[in-house]
Amino acid sequence: MHLNPALVEMRVERFVRERLEPATYRRRVPLEVAAWVAPGEPVPFAEAAAAAYEPFAVGTAWGRPWGTTWFRLTGRAPEGFGGDGTRAEVVVDLGYSDVQPGFQAEATAYRPDGTVLKGLHPRNRYLPLAAVTGPDGAVEVLLEASSNPDVSGDGVFATPTRLGDPATAGTDPLYRFAGADLAELDVQVWELQQDVWTLRGLLAQLPEASTRRAEVLRALDDAVDAVDPWDVAGTASAGRAALAGVLAQPASASAHRVTAVGHAHIDSAWLWPTRETARKCARTFSNVLALMDEDPDLVFACSSAQQYAWVRDAQPDLFERIKKRVAEGRFVPVGGMWVESDTNMPGGEALARQFVVGKRFFAEELGVEPLDVWLPDSFGYTAALPQIAVAAGARWFLTQKPSWNEVNRMPHHTFAWEGVDGTRIFTHFPPADTYNSDLGGEDLARAERQFAEKGRARRSLLPFGYGDGGGGPTREMLAAAARTRSLEGSPVVELAGPHDFFRQAQAEYPDPPVWSGEIYLEFHRGTYTSQARTKRGNRRSEHLLREAELWAAAAAVQRGADYPHEALERLWRVVLLQQFHDILPGSSIAWVHREAEARYAEVAAELEELIGASLGVLAGDGEEAVAFNASPFARQDVAALGSGFPRPGAGARASASAGGFVLENERVRVVVDRDGLMSSVLDLAAGREVLAPGARGALLQLHRDTPTQWDAWDVDEHYRRHTTDLTAAESVELVEESAERVAVRVVRRFGDSRVEQVLSVAAGSAAVELSFDVDWHERQKLLKLAFPLDVHADRAASEIQFGHVLRPTHANTSWDAARFETCAHRWVHVGENGYGVAVANDSTYGHDTGRTTRPDGGTTTTVRLSLLRAPLFPDPDADQGRHVLRTSLLVGAGIPDAVREGYRLNLPLREVRGAGPVEPLLAVEGDGVVVEAVKLAEDRSGDVVVRFYEAHGGRARATVRPSFPAASVTETDLLERDVEQPRALREARPDAAVLELRPFQITTLRWRRA
Ligand SMILES: [Zn+2]
């Protein structure tokens, strides 16, 4: 047999391109087009529908960057249109490019009555004609078309562009309207296209020498023969008949089973602002509903309560239709979170609230509780997540992002993920390594090929549908699913929801392998640092929210004040939205980050007002200076969570010496040299020099920061090869000398930037505090702050949510080496037996800790903070301008001291004028049990809810005494629901509850008031 497979494949390819595709539609009748350009930001339908439309010629340019143009399409179908094996449609081409859907023009189609019909994008251009035809036969449809620019730069994602901000994006039109027609879809031709597409995808994956491959190839060759090139419509059925045999061959008994879940990963902001995401949701969700009407098997998984809330508020009719499909179990809310947040940086309480606020929305608005965590795209996963997720009622976790690792491959696809406290959650990584599948042969084969559990398990999940910018599944994908339900050589594809998958996967794999600890992403390490003002906004907001809830709860319970439920809920939702995995990580366009900064400023102003009002109520009328302490630790004689008269103490001294300046108190003696660097930090209690011999502390280091791939996302290993130590100082001088605090101010200039550093020592404190005011104008540079310490540390402890993780300071294995930049919250601690040092911060997340051996044989452990970057994409002006931040170096510190220092730096005492102190709402007796949140219950019952965790990594026992009359105390989950079996509450006495916590255990107590 003289078969030449390569030639047959070429023949089929050309046949599809030149014969099949042009034959998709038979008759086309142009529609009348009229247009109205919305002058500014998007307007509601009613306003647009009432506007004055001008006739618009097909072929005309339209759409300034970020603008909205409304098109009115009108016409009438000829007699008999859509008969004879065709389907009548409206087909619109807005002037699309080859860039993926979601990164260019898209539109929402409305009926004249304002109800949303469907979204339009480059791979989904049709509307069913019946849906836009009135009883009189007149066709009318309105399109709200977004002329979103392609910020990705043709999918390169690296070219600096000014398109990401409407102020700099220009006004020239981006698109040329290419057509709006009534068109007859030839059903047999379209079905033949789907047959050929699936078989060609399968063919490419089959072993070259296999019988199956030869048969599929022969069938495709036969199909081309069967179709008359000059009468495709008339012979498409013959082509299909030639393929029927190979399409009917069933899957093998051992075929891998793929649960295909309809999905659209819609980034809540990224290369577009949040207001565009709200419209992307309406377009995508309406597409999904339209497809569900056609295919009863389609199940669509959709995360992010925020996105449902946007649709509810902007398109109530669409939301009602979604609710019906939710009730049927076909439109499936997943994840349970407010947004698909970053999980490295959100604080403990904030990550808990992602679930509390998200699940509350799903329960109240949709009557469902998602049982999974759905985070396919976030940039690494904190070791605190299993416990938080399980405490919020989740049973399963899904992501695929670790497939992006630069170096190491995660060993499992289905496994139990064990968190820092030992909690385990059943976890699945879709082995196809995508959340945007088209259900083609390549993705399906990859799922089977890579599935690491083969031999013990046989099932994986595959999210399909256009994602990132939205769009979702298409009818072509559903056609592929139908053809691969049982197809020899292909995995078996089954349309179902994620919960079906997880139940089946768990049943077939009851004892999966375990991955313990964080799921570190070996990629995107710059996201702990990029857009530092966004980071600062997050950290400050989290602590202000803590203060606002605590003091409002105290004012309500102790003084009968109203608790500002609505304001707090609203402010939390703003902060939770900004934790989305392209906002807090700093990987969005300029528009998004300027908006985030503005929102954080509004949040801070409103929270300051709420805090001031509560403190005013609590302190009463008077002229005494009362200090309030929102931290979980007493400070300067002011009780934890309480108030009092602070006693700062005295004993800080400063002096000038030949080598520079000396700052000291009874705990620490610091020498700041003429370069403004610490040349000595003496721990007076331990009698020990903290800095490594010959090294200087508080050293700013400037690195070249030119990532290989993703600017805002990546700090690459090669950054360390180019370092400039910023040792030259413009001035070094003593400032603000008092008995309470002594300080040295250092001013440096480098490049186009200026930094003012204040190093200070306060009476009674073992911390050297450093505050920075930076005017930053570098490009593609990374600014680090280094503390080379004379400590032999094998590992560094970094604070995460509700605890800390230990990471090696060496690079023994490829896993250790790849972890060269890490995320920490308020502190990092390094130590050897009997001695340790902590480095704390008030708004920084990126850190690295390494060590070297000196000629004297000693070990230098260097802790560095990543203060600032300046990536060029997607925001070309990222991080330019002013930054203020604080850090501290705490000598002679154990983990408990580090925990305390983290709270101290982030929750300063607040002084108000009043009659006097009030008793704390509750007192906690016992080490290691830390109060993370005090609030009134979400259900507005007035119950007091308090979240605790064990912070040291050991066993802890504590007695908690509320100062208010309480009728009962119960242990609850994160959602404030009573648990059946208390795990931490040993004695449920309302006036003295006794808690026993395991290492890093979180627990929530709820007091019903008497
Ligand atoms: Zn994403």
Side-chain angles (χ1 to χ4, degrees), residues 449-481:
R449 190 169 62 243
Q450 300 196 144
F451 188 51
E453 320 311 313
K454 276 199 291 276
R456 297 198 61 203
R458 196 183 270 182
R459 190 174 290 277
S460 69
L461 186 148
L462 183 55
F464 70 96
Y466 288 109
D468 295 322
T474 60
R475 57 185 175 187
E476 287 77 12
M477 295 171 191
L478 290 174

Side-chain angles (χ1 to χ4, degrees), residues 265 267 377 435 468 580-582:
H265 180 75
D267 289 304
D377 194 31
Y435 49 79
D468 295 322
F580 174 71
H581 66 257
D582 281 308

Side-chain angles (χ1 to χ4, degrees), residues 902-926:
Y903 279 103
R904 186 190 71 78
L905 206 58
N906 284 273
L907 285 168
L909 291 178
R910 277 178 188 274
E911 207 165 275
V912 295
R913 296 275 155 190
V918 289
E919 208 181 339
L921 205 50
L922 56 130
V924 182
E925 295 157 24

